[in-house]
Amino acid sequence: MGRAGIVLGLECSRLARNSADWHQLLELCAMTGTLICDEDGLYDPRDFNDRLLLGMKGQMSEAELHFIKARLRGGVLSKARRGELITPLPVGLVYDSTDHVVLDPDQAVQQALRHLFGTFAATGSATACVKAFRAAGLLFPWRHLKGPSKGELDWKPSAHHTVLRILHNPRYAGAFTYGRHGRGPAGIDSRVKLPREQWISFIPDTHPGYLTLAEFDTNQARLAQNAAAHGRDRAAGPPREGTALLQGMIACGKCGKRMTVRYHRRRGRDFPTYVCQREGIDTAQPICASIPGADLDTRIGQLLIDTLSPLAVEAAFAVSAELDQRATEADRMRATVVERTQYRADLARRRYLTVDPANRLVAETLEADWNTALRELQAAQRDYDTARTQQTGQLTDTQRARIHQLVTDLPAIWNDPATPARERKRIARLLLTDATVSRDRDTITAHIRFPAGQHTTLTMPVPKTGPEARRTPAEVVTLIDELLDHHISGEIADILNQRGLLSGTGEPFHRLIIDHIIRAYRLRTRRQRLRATGMLTPAEMATRLGVAASTLKHWRRAGLVTAVRYNDKGESLYHPTDPENPPERPHIGRPPKTR
């Protein structure tokens, strides 16, 4: 506004570290004829020499800021490369009085983290860890990062992102790291995860941890396999709920790409079909291969049973011990919740007893805090007792019996419908590396690789589909033809079911199915066979005997004539009588009086 004659300042170089602000000040002062004065002298921005000097001082100050930042950054990197840099620690790790990293002295926190890593080792999935904590009613620790409670420990239900962050953090393996993330592409404010060889610092075994570095690397490989189930170049996947045994492990023998799974519902069951369709989707071409999976899974399952049977005893006891240990850890973690709430209640009680009773304003507040702590203690104790009563996470007698049954009856457990498909897939992933499957006109060939380097090849005929798949076996049709000589349809169905035979659709036999087979295969019916032996219809028999049809029925019940049923409706054919020796007609009416 032209009302200032001079700008006085000390340490103007601090303002000059931002070139935009410094040159804007010079421009405004030159326009209004305002002088600039600092501890070194007096300058007129309208004078060329003074303005040139002020510009050079601004450039030197900006360069000085760069040097200061570079020295500070250098000091940080130097400490990081030595593993001496103080960085925020994840929950479960703390600094002691000498700035050394140690495990959190809270045993409840240690138990929660060890239980998490043990659960992931058993399930192989971060989501499964969250479900296990929720099913057992367990909470997970976390620290407040800001606010009035900054640094304090708290507990809440576990979340998927929390589990992933813990599993990916190498500090839990006792390793010091720095520079695990870098900036994203230019213009995008994001962080990207860098490979380990690009980290600024990676120093293993610098402090105690909850697992070894080898276990951490194993967890990373398993998480990478799970993540590989997403994306177009996915090559593997975690076990899911579907019935497809080779889900995530099967590759196309024609193009080498990973095959996906389709399910078809038939007679209340899901049947898998392995399909190689990525190239077909991209180029609008027919799918590369489609392989029925039910018979293939059955053959590979039998192969796994034969492979796993010698290890059944060791596996059964290992599984039992693992489940017992996990149940014990879960019970101990629930007990720590009760201990923590008991401590809070005792602390509230001591604070209330130390206050002056006359100071009612303070005493009433502390009394309310004590009552709240007692209610929390009562709720925690009730939840703990309920969990103990329901044996949440504990093995029941039935479960123990099923585990030990694995020793002698592994095939029955594998084929048991109650066994989850996910567990079968987990066993398959332990014993198989992958399976490359190809198909020609009549056969399916599966090349199976094992982790130790062995491999084997299975060959099987292509399963029949459509009407051909529902065709009744020839031997069953022959047996029905033989039984028709002596039995009706309902009796034949009972005989076939007793022998354990099934129809072409995989269902037990009943009367209607037998009748349909007789018509479809043009078998001679039971009636035709009896007629061929000379047996008479009711009308023919009544005409021969000269009686009414109702009278013929009375004679049959009286045993004067005999008949044979030819269907399940009770219809019969009669044995012909000798014309020279007709049956004696019974007396109709009152019996004659005897004298």
Side-chain angles (χ1 to χ4, degrees), residues 170-361:
R171 296 304 295 259
Y172 289 105
F176 176 85
T177 62
Y178 188 79
R180 292 193 298 135
H181 297 84
R183 292 190 176 276
I188 300 178
D189 186 13
S190 62
R191 296 197 311 166
V192 295
K193 189 175 181 180
L194 301 176
R196 183 177 298 181
E197 56 271 11
Q198 297 183 15
W199 294 356
I200 295 175
S201 177
F202 175 72
I203 307 175
D205 300 328
T206 57
H207 58 79
Y210 290 89
L211 69 165
T212 64
L213 188 59
E215 293 172 342
F216 173 78
D217 292 336
T218 301
N219 292 345
Q220 299 309 297
R222 183 172 293 183
L223 289 171
Q225 291 177 357
N226 293 351
H230 304 280
R232 295 183 56 178
D233 57 345
R234 58 189 185 271
R240 302 294 186 186
E241 292 76 8
T243 59
L245 183 65
L246 298 178
Q247 169 256 322
M249 298 191 302
I250 184 171
C252 178
K254 184 177 180 180
C255 65
K257 295 184 180 295
R258 181 179 183 266
M259 303 183 77
T260 56
V261 183
R262 291 178 180 174
Y263 289 100
H264 304 278
R265 191 91 175 160
R266 301 172 189 158
R267 300 183 298 277
R269 293 177 52 195
D270 289 331
F271 289 83
T273 300
Y274 298 106
V275 183
C276 179
Q277 59 180 352
R278 172 51 55 189
E279 193 67 24
I281 293 175
D282 292 341
T283 61
Q285 298 294 326
I287 61 176
C288 181
S290 176
I291 298 176
D295 293 344
L296 179 62
D297 289 350
T298 301
R299 289 286 301 275
I300 293 181
Q302 185 61 43
L303 175 65
L304 295 180
I305 291 174
D306 298 339
T307 305
L308 189 60
S309 295
L311 304 176
V313 176
E314 180 181 354
F317 288 106
V319 170
S320 179
E322 178 187 350
L323 293 178
D324 284 337
Q325 180 181 0
R326 290 170 58 186
T328 302
E329 291 179 355
D331 183 74
R332 186 164 57 247
M333 291 179 63
R334 284 190 291 268
T336 58
V337 176
V338 179
E339 294 179 7
R340 189 163 54 250
T341 53
Q342 180 68 55
Y343 168 76
R344 293 175 181 173
D346 293 341
L347 179 61
R349 174 179 174 274
R350 291 193 299 269
R351 294 178 61 188
Y352 174 73
L353 294 178
T354 55
V355 72
D356 185 2
N359 191 355
R360 296 305 303 168
L361 296 177

Side-chain angles (χ1 to χ4, degrees), residues 110-123 126 129-130 133 140 158 162-164 166-167 329 333:
Q110 295 186 23
Q111 292 173 6
L113 287 167
R114 290 194 173 96
H115 188 65
L116 172 62
F117 288 118
T119 303
F120 180 78
T123 60
C129 293
V130 178
F133 270 74
F140 200 79
S158 60
T162 303
V163 174
L164 285 179
I166 292 173
L167 293 174
E329 291 179 355
M333 291 179 63

Side-chain angles (χ1 to χ4, degrees), residues 26 44-45 47-58:
L26 298 182
D44 185 0
D47 184 73
F48 172 78
N49 293 324
D50 289 353
R51 186 159 183 167
L52 178 63
L53 180 60
L54 290 173
M56 293 180 60
K57 293 184 70 174

